[in-house]
Amino acid sequence: MSNTDITLGDLINFPFLAVFLAFIPLYYVLKTPPIHPKGCRRLGLPPGQSNLDDEFDPKYSEGFPSDQKDQGLPSWRVKALFSYPLKSCGAVELQVSNVVPTGLEFDRQFVFAEYSKDEWNIRTLRNAGFNRLALIHPEIWVPDPSASDYDTNLSEVRSGGVMLISYPRLVPTGWNGLPMKIGMTLKICTSRHAFQVPLHPPPDSNFPLVPVRIWKDKPLAHDLGCLLPGSLHAYMGFDPKTSPLTLFRASAPHTRQIFRNAPRKEDLGFQPNTAFADAYPIHLLSLSSHKDVAARCAYAIPRLSVRRFRANIIIQGPAAFEEDHWRRLSIGATEIHASCRTVRCRLPNVDPESGDRHKAEPDRTLKAYRRIDDGDRTNACLGMQLVPAKEAFVLRVGDEVRVLENGEHRYIKMLAPGEIVEGV
């Protein structure tokens, strides 16, 4: 497992040296080769490509009959798929995804946590001071037997692949930062650090199982904190000497069982569960519903992206908020239960592109007209929480969406009456 973590602080101590390096051999000092995990291939769409490139097209504000065709495709269909391997960090956009018992494969399997009040507590974009999570980008690399450097003895292969994590370099202020700024402008050096962690801790690895608090649960998870480079601690504003920040990987035998609004084990044949998702395996959002919200808060955020709401499945076709009353649907050939509406927090106030947190929107707009669920009249709803009727299947962009049953929903709160949890 190799890390790329170049720091110039020890090299650049004087202004004249900074100027000198700015014009002489920047290439040899700053050049950082890209990391390509051995024997693996990258999952997801190619960089710069997205099925949401046209998300601001006005046509998505309209609803269409479910039996209508759109250029030969079903009018109600999956528009885009997203996995969030590292909770509250960047997304991996997919054209096709395996679905496993915890949701989309690799979704929310990793999480950062801070040690406070004598225990590890997960940290997300909801938490004050953690906006920088938005600019941390994970990539999933899986073993590829067709790769020229593939070898079953590689650590990357033995761990079932790796997650590559990148984040912005912190540029020194003043003259000391000049060579790095020039190097990044000229693309002589990268603007981001990167390191990798195993997707699945190998049996002979030493990543201890440690309890970590997420809402009311404290599942055991693998502590991968020993792999975090010092530059990541610095980027997040932590002191690596005291290491109050760590990275957890969910443990398959210790996933969190889902009850509340989820269908029962006797109905499904298995107990619904999830890793580090807040509550349910899959989150669905309709483009027309999102555009209704976006139009109402355009005064503050002219181009509110659907990405802010961090859904796994983005669909097109239904009219705005038609999904509010879905109870069962099918996506492709798989039956899926719509367990409850998604009760929103202030997390979408953070722009995933910049990491900036808006002081009011879209939370204020949502609460003005979307507090619609009798189970929680304090918070707004947007989107649906899903539990598939199968433990394993495949989702694809373009899969048809059909409603099998409509009905009423009443959200069951995660917290007990009067209970307060940090970060809510």
Side-chain angles (χ1 to χ4, degrees):
M1 208 62 68
S2 62
N3 293 354
T4 300
D5 188 359
I6 297 176
T7 303
L8 294 183
D10 295 333
L11 298 178
I12 305 171
N13 294 312
F14 303 100
F16 77 88
L17 183 57
V19 175
F20 177 77
L21 289 176
F23 296 98
I24 310 278
L26 276 170
Y27 179 87
Y28 298 102
V29 177
L30 296 174
K31 181 64 176 175
T32 304
I35 296 178
H36 186 125
K38 293 181 179 179
C40 295
R41 62 180 175 85
R42 177 182 171 276
L43 289 186
L45 298 185
Q49 182 178 324
S50 173
N51 289 312
L52 288 180
D53 283 342
D54 64 343
E55 68 165 303
F56 297 108
D57 192 315
K59 69 181 181 182
Y60 295 119
S61 300
E62 306 174 26
F64 299 92
S66 59
D67 58 355
Q68 184 174 310
K69 293 293 181 181
D70 176 19
Q71 299 180 348
L73 297 172
S75 61
W76 288 24
R77 64 182 186 270
V78 174
K79 169 68 173 171
L81 290 171
F82 291 92
S83 177
Y84 295 86
L86 183 47
K87 188 177 177 72
S88 268
C89 298
V92 174
E93 185 172 356
L94 303 157
Q95 193 70 20
V96 58
S97 176
N98 292 328
V99 179
V100 297
T102 56
L104 269 65
E105 190 173 21
F106 308 120
D107 186 59
R108 275 94 171 182
Q109 295 294 312
F110 296 83
V111 68
F112 284 114
E114 179 183 14
Y115 197 76
S116 62
K117 298 180 181 179
D118 297 324
E119 63 182 358
W120 288 106
N121 292 270
I122 71 158
R123 290 295 180 250
T124 72
L125 291 172
R126 278 186 291 265
N127 298 105
F130 281 81
N131 298 34
R132 288 183 174 184
L133 288 174
L135 304 184
I136 296 177
H137 297 163
E139 294 180 2
I140 297 297
W141 291 73
V142 296
D144 181 7
S146 68
S148 60
D149 55 356
Y150 179 84
D151 187 325
T152 55
N153 293 317
L154 287 169
S155 60
E156 291 88 344
V157 174
R158 290 174 53 242
S159 62
V162 298
M163 181 171 68
L164 185 65
I165 303 171
S166 70
Y167 50 97
R169 288 179 181 271
L170 295 180
V171 179
T173 58
W175 285 100
N176 285 353
L178 181 59
M180 190 176 293
K181 290 179 181 178
I182 294 175
M184 290 190 295
T185 300
L186 298 176
K187 298 187 177 181
I188 294 173
C189 70
T190 63
S191 61
R192 301 176 69 84
H193 291 291
F195 69 103
Q196 63 189 47
V197 299
L199 269 185
H200 306 278
D204 58 351
S205 62
N206 187 26
F207 299 118
L209 283 170
V210 178
V212 55
R213 177 176 290 279
I214 172 170
W215 301 109
K216 297 183 70 174
D217 300 325
K218 292 180 68 173
L220 293 176
H222 292 283
D223 186 348
L224 276 58
C226 63
L227 300 179
L228 299 185
S231 58
L232 177 68
H233 287 269
Y235 170 72
M236 291 298 296
F238 284 85
D239 183 352
K241 294 180 181 178
T242 56
S243 297
L245 180 75
T246 195
L247 176 69
F248 280 105
R249 204 286 184 208
S251 169
H254 302 99
T255 53
R256 298 150 55 221
Q257 293 187 332
I258 301 169
F259 298 97
R260 297 195 296 148
N261 295 92
R264 297 293 179 254
K265 180 178 181 179
E266 51 267 29
D267 298 324
L268 295 178
F270 61 92
Q271 180 63 49
N273 65 100
T274 189
F276 290 125
D278 278 347
Y280 295 88
I282 298 176
H283 176 208
L284 175 145
L285 192 60
S286 164
L287 270 178
S288 57
S289 300
H290 166 262
K291 290 191 74 66
D292 190 280
V293 176
R296 293 170 186 259
C297 60
Y299 77 95
I301 306 174
R303 290 170 68 85
L304 183 80
S305 174
V306 70
R307 297 171 185 268
R308 284 180 179 250
F309 295 93
R310 304 179 69 81
N312 298 116
I313 304 174
I314 309 294
I315 64 169
Q316 67 179 83
F321 310 120
E322 198 159 343
E323 69 276 12
D324 281 344
H325 301 284
W326 293 353
R327 294 303 303 265
R328 287 189 307 116
L329 60 149
S330 66
I331 301 180
T334 303
E335 179 182 337
I336 296 175
H337 294 263
S339 292
C340 62
R341 302 180 179 104
T342 303
V343 174
R344 309 302 326 194
C345 63
R346 292 186 177 89
L347 188 149
N349 286 21
V350 178
D351 183 343
E353 296 298 320
S354 67
D356 296 332
R357 188 188 305 273
H358 195 279
K359 64 180 180 180
E361 296 294 3
D363 180 68
R364 179 164 60 191
T365 291
L366 279 166
K367 286 180 176 174
Y369 81 117
R370 288 291 299 168
R371 292 189 286 186
I372 61 169
D373 196 300
D374 287 335
D376 186 354
R377 286 290 182 177
T378 301
N379 294 298
C381 296
L382 182 67
M384 301 299 292
Q385 297 289 333
L386 308 182
V387 174
K390 294 172 62 176
E391 291 189 277
F393 60 101
V394 176
L395 279 174
R396 294 178 174 83
V397 170
D399 277 349
E400 183 178 10
V401 176
R402 294 187 298 119
V403 177
L404 305 178
E405 179 186 347
N406 283 304
E408 293 302 314
H409 283 286
R410 185 183 179 92
Y411 183 74
I412 299 174
K413 290 186 178 182
M414 189 180 301
L415 307 180
E419 185 177 4
I420 298 175
V421 171
E422 181 184 359
V424 177

